[in-house]
Amino acid sequence: MNSSNHVRIVEVGPRDGLQNEKAMLPAAIKIELIDRLSDTGLTTIEATSFVSPKWVPQLADAAEVFRGIRKAPGVVYPVLVPNLQGYERAREVGAGEVAVFTAASEAFNRKNVNASIDESIDRFVPVLERARADGVAVRGYVSTVLGCPYQGEVPVADVVRVARRLHELGCHEVSLGDTIGVGTPAKARAMLRAVAAEVPMAALAVHFHDTYGQALANILACLEEGVRVVDSAVSGTGGCPYAKGATGNVASEDVVYMLHGMGMTTGVDLDRLVETGAWLAGQLGKATASRVTRARTAA
Ligand code: HMG
Ligand code: MG
């Protein structure tokens, strides 16, 4: 059991949120979003993604956004890369931390990156080699850890295998993603426990989408299990292009509210985060998915 009271929030809204929003925000607004988030006390803000612009047109302006953001001291701004080409684009603009991604289910991975799980991992090997030489930290994501839109159930053993492989290859942190938000607390706990038997808990993060409204309950179960890194997106933006009806990541405001209410620390100023979430919802022209922001900004 982890007795630490501190949780590091990995803010993924500018990447995971905006990659799936219908509204295409101009680069200047994305830059303003990240700059606002940099003033909330967050220490990790995933800024954008250097994937193929044909696959994710929403983030085609990755280079412009990364160049334009204020790099606040004490804050890291990782970016997603699917292959060496993405890594090179990220390095060109000075990214100091990257994230690679694969899945625990073959069918999802094929739709997401047009490759089998093993093929996608083969593409990371040169990325990890280069990153090690460049002193760039690499995070690894495993998607579909609690269910797949095509395959349905995903065996825990498959999650463990992929997470262990990413860690062995040199990912300093492995984020376990319930991509379509179908997990429930006992399953989330059992999955995390099985992975933590092979990868140190200190190197694990949890990443819940909130499609079925289970994300906070799942996070609580995983905190009880000992995880201390939680991914979330301000205003709960996003969805999944490969999963009908899937909604965004759990809202950062709601996670921070829960953690502070439990006497845990995040270093995040909830009022500023709520302000940013409300502002972002305005930019996207839609209601915020954060219950906390709705409650705090109700007239
Ligand atoms: P492909 O079409 O199989 O790749 O895509 P390719 O290598 O044959 O390249 C095709 C074209 O893309 C070529 O251009 C390449 O140059 C270009 P063309 O010759 O046709 O003009 N290309 C690139 N361009 C820019 N940057 C690059 C890049 N790589 C190739 N890095 C590929 C394979 C992986 C590129 C594609 O499938 C892809 O970009 N997929 C990304 C999908 C994605 O971003 N999904 C969302 C992120 S994952 C996620 O959200 C889950 C997560 O949140 C956790 C969770 O919730 O579970 C992390
Ligand atoms: Mg995600």
Side-chain angles (χ1 to χ4, degrees):
M1 186 64 205
N2 191 333
S3 61
S4 162
N5 246 353
H6 187 76
V7 172
R8 181 162 59 87
I9 302 285
V10 175
E11 170 59 49
V12 296
R15 193 279 302 171
D16 203 354
L18 298 188
Q19 81 183 5
N20 287 315
E21 287 293 335
K22 280 193 192 76
M24 294 270 234
L25 295 183
I29 299 296
K30 294 174 182 169
I31 292 167
E32 183 173 348
L33 169 64
I34 296 166
D35 287 351
R36 282 173 179 256
L37 290 169
S38 293
D39 289 334
T40 62
L42 284 161
T43 55
T44 310
I45 304 173
E46 201 172 66
T48 185
S49 175
F50 290 88
V51 295
S52 160
K54 285 185 196 138
W55 285 62
V56 182
Q58 286 89 337
L59 302 183
D61 56 5
E64 185 183 353
V65 169
F66 197 88
R67 275 208 184 93
I69 58 175
R70 174 167 50 85
K71 314 294 187 307
V75 182
V76 291
Y77 300 91
V79 298
L80 218 61
V81 302
N83 52 22
L84 202 51
Q85 191 176 340
Y87 179 80
E88 280 165 357
R89 289 176 60 213
R91 290 294 289 160
E92 237 173 66
V93 295
E97 185 162 336
V98 301
V100 294
F101 55 103
T102 185
S105 100
E106 289 291 353
F108 177 83
N109 206 54
R110 177 74 56 194
K111 296 268 186 198
N112 198 32
V113 293
N114 197 25
S116 71
I117 296 168
D118 286 346
E119 282 164 356
S120 65
I121 292 174
D122 288 345
R123 291 177 186 163
F124 306 153
V125 173
V127 171
L128 280 144
E129 278 168 10
R130 286 278 293 280
R132 194 173 298 120
D134 295 343
V136 167
V138 184
R139 178 180 227 227
Y141 279 103
V142 186
S143 284
T144 59
V145 299
L146 293 171
C148 167
Y150 311 104
Q151 172 183 322
E153 292 286 322
V154 174
V156 169
D158 294 350
V159 181
V160 173
R161 178 184 81 85
V162 177
R164 189 179 53 208
R165 182 95 180 97
L166 292 182
H167 188 250
E168 282 168 357
L169 280 172
C171 292
H172 73 95
E173 187 167 281
V174 177
S175 175
L176 303 167
D178 182 11
T179 317
I180 55 170
V182 291
T184 45
K187 278 190 183 163
R189 182 195 299 275
M191 180 277 300
L192 178 62
R193 188 174 290 180
V195 176
E198 306 276 337
V199 178
M201 188 65 88
L204 295 175
V206 290
H207 178 112
F208 290 106
H209 288 252
D210 202 26
T211 316
Y212 284 80
Q214 305 295 302
L216 285 179
N218 292 339
I219 290 169
L220 179 57
C222 292
L223 289 168
E224 286 172 355
E225 205 55 37
V227 84
R228 288 295 179 270
V229 184
V230 176
D231 299 0
S232 60
V234 67
S235 199
T237 48
C240 178
Y242 309 111
K244 231 176 153 192
T247 61
N249 295 80
V250 63
S252 304
E253 301 93 303
D254 299 5
V255 175
V256 168
Y257 179 85
M258 179 180 83
L259 292 170
H260 291 182
M262 291 166 64
M264 303 191 86
T265 59
T266 63
V268 176
D269 180 328
L270 181 59
D271 290 337
R272 284 195 176 175
L273 195 60
V274 162
E275 226 173 82
T276 303
W279 171 83
L280 176 60
Q283 295 298 323
L284 290 167
K286 62 185 250 190
T288 178
S290 162
R291 302 295 293 260
V292 169
T293 293
R294 261 189 262 162
R296 293 273 183 108
T297 56

